């Protein structure tokens, strides 16, 4: 490891943090801090016996040439594949309507969290370390975790945590304080017997439910383990974010059951998860937060709440800082 390179701390090992660390590697020594055990942030997967649930982003699209090229490298590494799902539109009391989507949708294989695992290779990631405080002086910052341990000093600290969490860590980055994100309840159901459904993805309108996916039908999944993932709308989630989770689960099971015309109480496995910061509306223009004391922030929320936005936000940060570091070090 070259010690003359700038020391950078990156908070968060989701897609943004991992891409940023990979792209800054020629110019800086990067250390990532991740509060969770898993890698990949909202590209997440839960397991329950034979059942698997991609309970964060279920899939993603790639519209720009740059992101398509990146996704292509992941395809070549067999980390993602296109998912040619049968997609329908669903409304309460109406039969499903087959829906054609022009965009190609991608999923991680054998699960979504494989993307984070793959991108974290060769990076220094401190897992299960929740950063609670940044202290010190400009360009000599220290991080403190919830146990009171200190790390550093670092020339720069870059937060890729969701906007609200970044705003707590970096109160002086004033513009971050006004970014809002929306939550999402995710219901996970595992069935011992298949349900008689003719589709794999349903986009829903007119309900507490926004989307239903049959997770086990994604490519590269293990056989068995009939797994359904149900997303509530952001409005329903916001209204009930403090409600009793048993009640939330029962309501979502009932609403989803009405939509698909099945009694979903027959599920052997049932769980509900609340993402308080799942996605966000598109920003009026792409944002990049860098102050003149060595603190910075990026993430999907700087553009819009998508995987592609997270990638572009990290690339923009890496371009800006990499250019500065190259000038400083003459590389
Ligand atoms: C239910 C749901 C559905 C979605 N659907 C889609 C979709 O259909 N299409 C799409 O493109 N995108 C979708 N998304 C959004 C997509 O997952 C995100 O845009 C993308 O994964 C964000 O990546 P990121 O690296 O910017 O943030 P994250 O993945 O959130 O990474 C931030 C990381 O920071 C960590 N962290 C936070 N605070 C701290 C701290 N104090 N100390 C240490 N670590 C910390 C977190 O644990 C996390 O790992 C969905 C997300 C959810 C939750």
């Amino acid at each position: 490891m070259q010690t003359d390179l700038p020391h950078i701390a990156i908070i968060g090992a989701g897609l943004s943090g991992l891409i940023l660390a990979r792209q800054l590697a020629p110019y800086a020594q990067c250390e990532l801090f991740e509060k969770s055990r898993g890698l990949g942030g909202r590209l997440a997967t839960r397991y329950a016996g034979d059942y698997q649930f991609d309970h964060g982003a279920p899939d993603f699209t790639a519209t720009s040439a740059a992101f398509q090229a990146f996704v292509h490298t992941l395809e070549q590494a067999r980390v993602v594949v296109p998912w040619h799902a049968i997609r329908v539109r669903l409304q309460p009391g109406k039969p499903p309507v087959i829906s054609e989507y022009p965009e190609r949708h991608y999923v991680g294989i054998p699960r979504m969290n494989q993307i984070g695992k793959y991108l974290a290779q060769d990076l220094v990631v401190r897992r299960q370390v929740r950063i609670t405080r940044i202290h010190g002086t400009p360009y000599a910052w220290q991080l403190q975790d919830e146990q009171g341990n200190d790390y550093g000093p670092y020339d720069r600290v870059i937060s890729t945590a969701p906007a609200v969490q970044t705003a707590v860590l970096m109160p002086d980055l004033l513009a971050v304080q006004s970014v809002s994100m929306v939550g999402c309840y995710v219901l996970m159901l595992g069935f011992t017997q298949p349900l008689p459904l003719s589709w794999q993805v349903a986009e829903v309108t007119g309900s507490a439910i926004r989307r239903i996916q049959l997770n086990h039908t994604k490519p590269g999944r293990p056989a068995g383990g009939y797994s359904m993932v149900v997303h509530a709308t952001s409005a329903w989630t916001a209204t009930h974010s403090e409600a009793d989770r048993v009640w939330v689960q029962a309501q979502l099971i009932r609403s989803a059951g009405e939509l698909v015309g099945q009694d979903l109480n027959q599920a052997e496995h049932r769980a509900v998860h609340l993402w308080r910061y799942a996605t966000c509306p598109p920003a009026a223009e792409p944002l990049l937060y860098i102050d003149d004391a060595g603190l910075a922030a990026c993430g999907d929320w700087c553009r819009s709440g998508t995987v592609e936005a997270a990638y572009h936000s990290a690339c923009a940060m890496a371009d800006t800082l990499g250019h500065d570091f190259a000038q400083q070090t003459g590389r």
Side-chain angles (χ1 to χ4, degrees):
M1 189 178 264
Q2 290 168 276
T3 51
D4 57 333
L5 297 179
H7 285 62
I8 310 293
I10 298 173
I11 301 171
L15 188 77
S16 305
L18 295 170
I19 294 292
L20 184 58
R22 297 192 80 79
Q23 297 206 356
L24 287 179
Y27 316 104
Q29 289 180 54
C30 294
E31 211 174 321
L32 289 128
F33 293 84
E34 172 53 55
K35 68 178 166 62
S36 307
R37 193 152 47 95
L39 299 163
R42 280 171 271 161
L43 299 173
T45 307
R46 277 255 187 110
Y47 314 86
D50 286 345
Y51 305 115
Q52 279 185 16
F53 306 95
D54 295 324
H55 68 305
D59 58 28
F60 60 91
T61 53
T63 56
S64 68
F67 189 56
Q68 283 169 356
F70 169 70
V71 171
H72 186 58
T73 63
L74 296 181
E75 274 189 275
Q76 286 180 319
R78 295 289 298 161
V79 176
V80 305
V81 288
W83 183 25
H84 306 289
I86 301 169
R87 293 173 183 267
V88 296
R89 295 200 182 278
L90 267 187
Q91 278 184 310
K94 297 195 177 163
V97 177
I98 290 280
S99 178
E100 296 295 334
Y101 286 83
E103 319 92 23
R104 182 173 279 202
H105 292 251
Y106 294 92
V107 294
I109 51 167
R111 30 190 185 268
M112 286 304 272
N113 67 2
Q114 186 62 21
I115 300 170
K117 283 184 191 165
Y118 174 78
L119 293 173
Q121 291 177 98
D122 307 326
L123 298 178
V124 179
V125 187
R126 290 181 188 266
R127 300 194 208 187
Q128 294 183 281
V129 179
R130 180 193 290 268
I131 300 303
T132 51
R133 193 161 83 94
I134 302 169
H135 62 108
T137 52
Y139 299 100
W141 295 110
Q142 297 222 308
L143 301 186
Q144 193 168 79
D145 70 17
E146 55 193 341
Q147 268 81 43
N149 302 309
D150 281 318
Y151 307 86
Y154 300 98
D155 299 282
R156 305 232 185 195
V157 179
I158 307 162
S159 176
T160 67
V164 177
Q165 292 164 328
T166 291
V168 172
L169 290 169
M170 298 183 171
D172 293 338
L173 282 187
L174 291 179
V176 180
Q177 314 294 324
S178 57
V179 177
S180 61
M181 297 186 71
V182 296
C184 181
Y185 271 118
V186 178
L187 173 69
M188 292 160 270
L189 300 174
F191 298 87
T192 53
Q193 298 296 323
L195 300 173
L197 301 178
S198 57
W199 45 264
Q200 294 161 325
V201 177
E203 301 287 344
V204 183
T205 48
S207 164
I209 309 291
R210 185 169 82 88
R211 181 157 55 179
I212 304 176
Q213 299 220 349
L214 301 184
N215 202 91
H216 62 284
T217 67
K218 292 177 177 177
R221 266 54 183 172
Y226 192 107
S227 317
M228 176 182 277
V229 179
V230 179
H231 292 180
T233 63
S234 57
W236 195 89
T237 300
T239 305
H240 303 292
S241 62
E242 304 309 323
D244 174 61
R245 294 293 189 274
V246 175
W247 179 86
V248 167
Q249 184 172 296
Q251 294 301 310
L252 293 178
I253 288 177
R254 188 182 52 75
S255 297
E258 284 169 8
L259 281 164
V260 303
Q262 302 291 320
D263 178 9
L264 299 183
N265 283 301
Q266 61 185 294
E268 177 194 39
H269 174 80
R270 305 168 205 185
V272 74
H273 176 82
L274 171 61
W275 292 96
R276 288 195 182 271
Y277 313 114
T279 60
C280 57
E285 57 182 278
L287 304 166
L288 200 60
Y289 299 99
I290 305 178
D291 75 4
D292 52 11
L295 299 181
C298 65
D300 63 339
W301 48 272
C302 291
R303 291 172 173 245
S304 66
T306 66
V307 176
E308 180 163 5
Y311 173 82
H312 284 301
S313 177
C315 291
M317 180 63 75
D319 280 352
T320 304
L321 294 185
H323 181 257
D324 290 356
F325 297 155
Q327 284 192 329
Q328 283 164 25
T329 60
R331 285 192 168 81

